[in-house]
Amino acid sequence: MRTIEEYIRLAEKAVGSIKLPKRPAGLYEPITYGLSNGGKRLRPALLLAACEAAGKDCTAALSQAAAIEMFHNFTLLHDDVMDNADLRRGKPTVCRKWDNNTAILSGDTMLTLATQLLVEGVAPDKAARLLDIFNRAAIGVYEGQQYDMEFESRNDVTEEEYIDMIRLKTSVLLGCAAQLGAEIGDAEEQQGMALYGFAMNLGIAFQLQDDWLDVYGDPAVFGKATGGDIMNNKKTFLLIKAMELAEGNDKKNLQYWLDIKDADPEKKISAVTAIYDSLGIGDICQKSVEKHNAEALRCLGKSGLTAEAAGFFEEFDRMVMNRKK
Amino acid sequence: MRTIEEYIRLAEKAVGSIKLPKRPAGLYEPITYGLSNGGKRLRPALLLAACEAAGKDCTAALSQAAAIEMFHNFTLLHDDVMDNADLRRGKPTVCRKWDNNTAILSGDTMLTLATQLLVEGVAPDKAARLLDIFNRAAIGVYEGQQYDMEFESRNDVTEEEYIDMIRLKTSVLLGCAAQLGAEIGDAEEQQGMALYGFAMNLGIAFQLQDDWLDVYGDPAVFGKATGGDIMNNKKTFLLIKAMELAEGNDKKNLQYWLDIKDADPEKKISAVTAIYDSLGIGDICQKSVEKHNAEALRCLGKSGLTAEAAGFFEEFDRMVMNRKK
């Protein structure tokens, strides 16, 4: 096994090596722009590491690493249109720098390019299995995005529904990346499933942690001001759980802050945080983070990997859970 | 070989047999709605016929027939968002009946579902070839749509560029349908390419004919009033050729009618048609229709098909070229 940084470097190189046609520039330039948005390349790095953990040199998986990152960035282009987002990682989104139509059409192109990259240079029987894993994850991502949009206008989302949504929207793709890598590395199916379970549960833990950090994170470590989710009434684990548990004055208060327009940020953030505190929401969220992270490590324990490879993924887990946003 | 109507009926049945999950309904109901929009199922019918022409019962190709129709309808969902279209075949578009976000996300799902259907029940080596044919056509469709959008704001589009655009945007998918059918029918590669050439050139002839009919068609036969393209300043073959050939007064006149807002429809249509007439644009367009249709039949002649199969595709050609819009 190499270091995490080395896999990230190789993933970056794989993404940078993608050959795109020059014309029509209006179709392909937004793709290059979208791909160079400074993402951390965690998915392709995970794919490469899983391939090597299974015992094969990860240079066999560079095209698939590029594929998973291409797919991820396709979802970002379309999500930004759906969310009407101005910025991504501090740079104008494709739908702003160009327009919505460009983001839609270049995104479509990225999905097909991802499918091409996925099967490039792979024997047909292997390609069929990679495609099956990839397509099922893609369907999961769309379903998750659909639930996420639906939840915005619902007030009765349950914790279970919320976790299933983040599982689909963000975690199955991490699981898919690990499983694809294992498959390319000729791992036994059971090992591929174990790595899928590891990455998928880590993804859920990561997303829940993200929800928690936006309220309770140290801005100095977190890298940005907290409270954004509260200001936007974002249906995070914290808000959903608070809506479930709040009664009496807490409930009235919470609804007041959800309904108010143009609230003073400092007041709203501190009031909603106080409600969360009185209900113990932060701890409940942390328990769920720990539960899913433990499940990730339990899957890893069942993977039958070498001690070196298992140690690598434990370190990967720590890096993900301790990152700044 | 069966009759064209029989292939269309089988294609309709293949599309109707697609199994979709029930939930989330907000994702899958628009897909069912989009697929039941009353399309003529020409692409899947062509695929099934090509399979049988190659010598295999077309029931082997039902899933791929469904795939090509799913892909086609995915492009309609996204095109309607990009064109801000209210109606398709007299019914509200998905982006109107639901909203743009739904049309984007359900469309994305359709593209992945199409890829799944394409390889369903097919041996891996065959699946790899089908996927390669399909992905290359898909990229062509996106490039064609991009050129189409770019041409709307350009005044110097050449005839050659225009024909290349319609080749990519609409014709390669017809070629792809025929080639996929041939591939599933275990045709020699050369026969698959000949059928691709047939369907692709027929598609170009069809599109040019469509441009011509919108100005010169008999409304009684055509099924709708003519002149819509002229009213919308749509960059058709006719307008592009007229912009290339017009000089002096014709040129000034044409520009006048292109620039005028809220023109009286009757006056604008009759004035622009008169300019087309004085430049002989209708005949030039018909010559190009005939040229591409002849090329389609030339490809068919090189296909090495049985006389019965060749006769079928000649009839298919006549049906397409003589249809109402």
Side-chain angles (χ1 to χ4, degrees), chain A:
Chain A
M1 299 292 294
R2 312 174 199 219
T3 63
I4 296 175
E5 293 68 32
E6 180 72 358
Y7 289 117
I8 288 175
R9 206 185 60 76
L10 283 167
E12 190 67 52
K13 207 173 145 193
V15 172
S17 304
I18 297 171
K19 294 266 176 297
L20 295 177
K22 287 269 178 292
R23 298 189 54 237
L27 188 68
Y28 291 110
E29 278 175 7
I31 297 178
T32 305
Y33 177 84
L35 283 172
S36 60
N37 72 353
K40 295 212 177 53
R41 313 303 190 199
L42 278 190
R43 291 160 196 80
L46 184 60
L47 187 150
L48 295 173
C51 175
E52 251 173 42
K56 206 169 188 170
D57 191 278
C58 75
T59 51
L62 292 173
S63 181
Q64 291 71 33
I68 202 88
E69 188 69 10
M70 182 70 89
F71 177 85
H72 173 58
N73 280 275
F74 138 68
T75 66
L76 299 184
L77 258 68
H78 281 195
D79 281 4
D80 285 342
V81 174
M82 294 186 241
D83 298 342
N84 198 20
D86 297 318
L87 295 172
R88 177 162 294 279
R89 297 182 178 281
K91 281 167 61 185
T93 52
V94 169
C95 59
R96 279 295 168 283
K97 191 173 161 78
W98 284 271
D99 52 30
N100 280 352
N101 286 0
T102 299
I104 294 170
L105 192 61
S106 292
D108 292 343
T109 308
M110 292 168 90
L111 175 51
T112 294
L113 290 172
T115 312
Q116 284 184 319
L117 288 164
L118 184 76
V119 297
E120 203 172 282
V122 178
D125 57 337
K126 183 72 79 189
R129 285 199 294 278
L130 297 179
L131 189 65
D132 182 51
I133 294 166
F134 177 82
N135 280 337
R136 277 187 289 122
I139 296 287
V141 171
Y142 311 139
E143 292 184 350
Q145 169 71 2
Q146 176 68 28
Y147 285 122
D148 195 18
M149 295 196 302
E150 289 179 7
F151 288 0
E152 287 307 312
S153 57
R154 275 181 52 192
N155 286 320
D156 59 350
V157 180
T158 65
E159 176 184 343
E160 193 189 350
E161 284 180 311
Y162 180 75
I163 289 184
D164 198 49
M165 182 277 284
I166 59 175
R167 179 182 69 78
L168 290 165
K169 180 169 173 169
T170 68
S171 307
V172 296
L173 192 62
L174 283 161
C176 168
Q179 196 182 1
L180 289 173
E183 180 67 37
I184 300 161
D186 291 327
E188 297 289 330
E189 193 185 344
Q190 182 260 340
Q191 184 165 83
M193 289 309 299
L195 279 167
Y196 177 91
F198 163 73
M200 201 268 283
N201 281 288
L202 173 59
I204 295 176
F206 170 92
Q207 185 61 50
L208 293 173
Q209 174 95 317
D210 213 52
D211 288 359
W212 185 89
L213 283 170
D214 199 77
V215 175
Y216 294 107
D218 178 351
V221 179
F222 189 46
K224 67 166 208 176
T226 51
D229 289 348
I230 289 177
M231 282 312 294
N232 296 319
N233 289 351
K234 196 168 166 217
K235 290 266 169 59
T236 65
F237 182 94
L238 307 181
L239 178 54
I240 283 166
K241 203 69 199 167
M243 288 168 87
E244 180 194 331
L245 296 181
E247 294 180 336
N249 267 345
D250 278 342
K251 190 171 182 172
K252 263 193 283 186
N253 252 327
L254 184 59
Q255 199 56 53
Y256 168 83
W257 287 108
L258 287 173
D259 292 341
I260 200 169
K261 308 273 177 227
D262 304 321
D264 175 73
E266 210 173 312
K267 281 188 189 153
K268 178 167 176 175
I269 292 167
S270 115
V272 174
T273 305
I275 299 168
Y276 288 171
D277 288 346
S278 81
L279 297 166
I281 300 290
D283 289 344
I284 297 173
C285 185
Q286 273 304 319
K287 287 233 164 57
S288 193
V289 169
E290 281 158 27
K291 187 183 108 179
H292 286 95
N293 199 34
E295 180 60 21
L297 296 173
R298 197 186 65 79
C299 289
L300 191 60
K302 291 196 311 175
S303 65
L305 290 173
T306 63
E308 185 202 2
F312 171 90
F313 288 111
E314 281 163 24
E315 195 188 325
F316 186 88
D317 179 277
R318 277 192 297 275
M319 181 201 70
V320 167
M321 295 310 295
N322 293 326
R323 94 223 172 282
K324 298 181 195 176
K325 191 166 185 172

Side-chain angles (χ1 to χ4, degrees), chain B residues 41-74:
Chain B
R41 315 304 191 196
L42 279 188
R43 292 159 194 81
L46 183 61
L47 186 150
L48 295 173
C51 175
E52 253 176 36
K56 207 170 190 171
D57 191 279
C58 75
T59 51
L62 292 173
S63 182
Q64 291 71 34
I68 202 89
E69 189 68 10
M70 182 71 89
F71 177 84
H72 173 57
N73 280 274
F74 138 68

Side-chain angles (χ1 to χ4, degrees), chain B residues 103-137:
Chain B
I104 294 170
L105 192 60
S106 292
D108 292 345
T109 308
M110 292 169 90
L111 175 50
T112 294
L113 290 172
T115 312
Q116 285 184 319
L117 287 164
L118 184 76
V119 297
E120 202 173 283
V122 177
D125 56 339
K126 182 73 79 186
R129 285 198 295 277
L130 297 180
L131 189 65
D132 182 51
I133 294 167
F134 177 82
N135 281 338
R136 278 187 288 121

